[in-house]
Amino acid sequence: MNIYYHGFWRMDWGLGNPNKTAALIAILMVSVWCIAYAFKRGFWIALLLFTGLGVCLVHTFSRGGVVAVCFGSVILLWQAPRPWLRSRVIGLLIAAWLIVGVSVWLEADKRLVQGAVQEDKSITNRLSLWRAAPRMILDSPNGWGIGNAGLAYGEWYQPVNSAEEYRTLVNSHLTWLVEFGWPARVLYVFGWFSVLALCWPGARYRWMAVSFSIWCTFAVAAFFSSVAESPWLWVVPGISAIAAIFARLAMNARQALVILPFPLAGTIGVFAAIGIIGVSQNSLPLHTDGQAVVIGNGEPAVCVFSSPSVFGNRAGRTLRECWTAPINSGGIAVLPLRLIDNYPLAGKTIVLGGVLPRQDCAKMNALTVNCKKVILLNPVFSPQDIGVSQAAVEKMQVLFGEFSQSPSAGAWQSFIGKPAPRIEGVGDFLPEWPRLLSSSL
């Protein structure tokens, strides 16, 4: 699907995402300068390729790609051999003005500077996502799970007055740090600092400035969008890293080992910053053990098995927005129905709604015996389906929406011996179930 900005097509090179294309172009723009190190006249070939790729980059309308290539280019200029020849400086200035001119012609400059001179929703949303990441990392030692960063943010950390849905945190690094557990988090950050240290240019290998610039450009591009998930973006950095490894192998052991302290120091610094920022943030007392998400401290006293038909697709978000009773020290756990047989429920209040799979119906009687209380909201299953005994009635509370289509209302009325209470103005879906629940506990 083609994407446009003010009527201009955003170039994507077939990748389906202009931001990923921009990241790839930015990496190629800095990588072409290896030609300048390889051939005596290679500078002009590299400059021509750099300019052509720069025009393509502008055509993607990606701000992250532009920032990334600027960052990488500054590194290349810093490491460029001295003295700078006047002809080359003039060539670079002409190339820069040509790229800027194309940007103005395409009106890309309006998007590129937007956010610096006025509020931009895209930037504002990114900042909101990134601010939540340190807290999300600390709240989940085992990680939120691959592919769940955007869902976890929307469910538990997004301001309730915002409704945007996200697949990721619009940042490859933060997305993976949130989704990974601690061992993988440490390895990921250590790996990035290791490859940067590996590619650090020295007096003997000035060409490694290109490898270092490639990885820095890639890192910056991946910070502004979730682009690193594309395997195409790893090809050129991977080749440059292999070249750097061979260069390091040509050094003596002492020269090669001198880089080791830097990845370790960088990794410690990153996680120290995450810890300081995360602890300083004001948020709900929330944590996850990889199964349940618990609001509160310690062992949860109430376990809510969410069902989309009753609680909606964002049960956690609704809980944050509508809960009115004080959260006790134990807290409230929200977890999927598939964990009903694997999660410790003895002495806890269980909240269920909607459909209960047949294999779980047979377990309900035992759960009812051991738990403190059972609250059923619009249950589709009947007392006979779960084999609950009459003695368990005292522990059970059954509620139905006024317009609920559940066929089991009559069965529960007969079992309890009186009409089940009705919730006025709702059907099977209970949009404010936390308020209802807080008044029932």
Side-chain angles (χ1 to χ4, degrees):
M1 182 178 64
N2 291 330
I3 301 175
Y4 293 86
Y5 174 77
H6 288 184
F8 290 99
W9 172 58
R10 296 186 65 182
M11 184 178 291
D12 65 2
W13 283 9
L15 296 182
N17 186 310
N19 291 325
K20 292 179 181 178
T21 305
L24 177 59
I25 293 174
I27 291 170
L28 292 175
M29 286 179 70
V30 296
S31 67
V32 298
W33 291 103
C34 65
I35 302 174
Y37 287 91
F39 306 103
K40 186 176 181 180
R41 301 292 182 183
F43 173 87
W44 298 104
I45 299 174
L47 181 61
L48 182 63
L49 293 172
F50 179 87
T51 306
L53 289 168
V55 171
C56 293
L57 177 63
V58 168
H59 217 303
T60 65
F61 296 84
S62 172
R63 289 172 289 203
V66 171
V67 173
V69 77
C70 288
F71 190 87
S73 298
V74 168
I75 293 173
L76 288 174
L77 289 172
W78 166 46
Q79 289 292 323
R82 304 292 197 279
W84 293 352
L85 299 178
R86 178 180 296 180
S87 60
R88 294 187 176 185
V89 173
I90 294 173
L92 287 171
L93 291 174
I94 292 173
W97 278 110
L98 179 60
I99 294 172
V100 171
V102 173
S103 174
V104 173
W105 177 68
L106 291 174
E107 299 182 6
D109 59 312
K110 296 179 180 179
R111 173 174 169 79
L112 298 178
V113 301
Q114 190 175 357
V117 296
Q118 62 182 8
E119 183 179 1
D120 181 84
K121 195 170 182 63
S122 176
I123 296 176
T124 302
N125 289 344
R126 275 177 166 83
L127 293 176
S128 179
L129 285 158
W130 299 347
R131 277 195 296 267
R135 190 70 246 177
M136 294 179 72
I137 291 171
L138 297 183
D139 286 343
S140 183
N142 297 321
W144 290 93
I146 300 300
N148 292 330
L151 294 174
Y153 170 78
E155 189 90 342
W156 299 105
Y157 298 91
Q158 186 178 32
V160 294
N161 59 349
S162 299
E164 295 84 2
E165 294 186 4
Y166 298 95
R167 183 179 59 86
T168 68
L169 299 187
V170 199
N171 180 313
S172 292
H173 307 302
L174 294 180
T175 295
W176 287 339
L177 289 177
V178 164
E179 293 177 351
F180 294 159
W182 275 112
R185 289 167 180 168
V186 173
L187 287 175
Y188 179 77
V189 175
F190 184 80
W192 267 99
F193 279 107
S194 295
V195 77
L196 290 175
L198 182 72
C199 295
W200 183 263
R204 184 178 174 185
Y205 296 100
R206 303 293 297 182
W207 61 267
M208 288 175 64
V210 178
S211 295
F212 184 74
S213 178
I214 287 171
W215 279 96
C216 288
T217 300
F218 186 19
V220 173
F223 190 86
F224 285 95
S225 191
S226 298
V227 297
E229 62 189 11
S230 173
W232 291 105
L233 269 65
W234 292 89
V235 175
V236 174
I239 293 172
S240 70
I242 292 172
I245 289 173
F246 278 103
R248 292 288 177 185
L249 291 175
M251 299 178 183
N252 61 47
R254 185 175 181 180
Q255 288 176 310
L257 291 175
V258 76
I259 69 171
L260 290 180
F262 298 102
L264 182 60
T267 303
I268 293 173
V270 166
F271 287 114
I274 288 174
I276 293 171
I277 295 172
V279 170
S280 65
Q281 291 174 324
N282 294 322
S283 63
L284 284 172
L286 183 150
H287 65 277
T288 174
D289 56 8
Q291 294 182 312
V293 178
V294 181
I295 295 181
N297 300 309
E299 190 72 15
V302 180
C303 293
V304 178
F305 291 91
S306 60
S307 170
S309 62
V310 176
F311 302 102
N313 293 321
R314 289 189 170 189
R317 183 187 180 92
T318 307
L319 179 60
R320 290 188 293 127
E321 184 178 8
C322 299
W323 186 262
T324 56
I327 297 177
N328 58 25
S329 59
I332 305 165
V334 178
L335 57 164
L337 194 58
R338 57 182 172 80
L339 296 178
I340 194 169
D341 191 41
N342 300 320
Y343 200 79
L345 299 174
K348 297 181 174 65
T349 296
I350 302 174
V351 182
L352 287 169
V355 178
L356 187 65
R358 184 174 296 276
Q359 64 270 21
D360 293 323
C361 284
K363 306 166 187 174
M364 273 301 297
N365 191 37
L367 292 174
T368 305
V369 172
N370 296 322
C371 70
K372 178 181 178 182
K373 184 178 182 180
V374 177
I375 300 176
L376 302 178
L377 303 175
N378 289 331
V380 176
F381 51 90
S382 68
Q384 292 74 26
D385 291 332
I386 62 176
V388 66
S389 63
Q390 191 68 36
V393 172
E394 295 180 359
K395 291 185 176 182
M396 304 188 73
Q397 183 177 4
V398 185
L399 302 171
F400 285 95
E402 182 181 2
F403 308 111
S404 173
Q405 301 299 309
S406 173
S408 65
W412 280 105
Q413 178 177 333
S414 300
F415 181 76
I416 297 174
K418 58 181 180 180
R422 292 281 178 170
I423 309 166
E424 295 183 359
V426 295
D428 292 313
F429 170 57
L430 305 178
E432 295 188 353
W433 64 267
R435 289 195 176 95
L436 175 68
L437 183 59
S438 61
S439 63
S440 300
L441 295 176

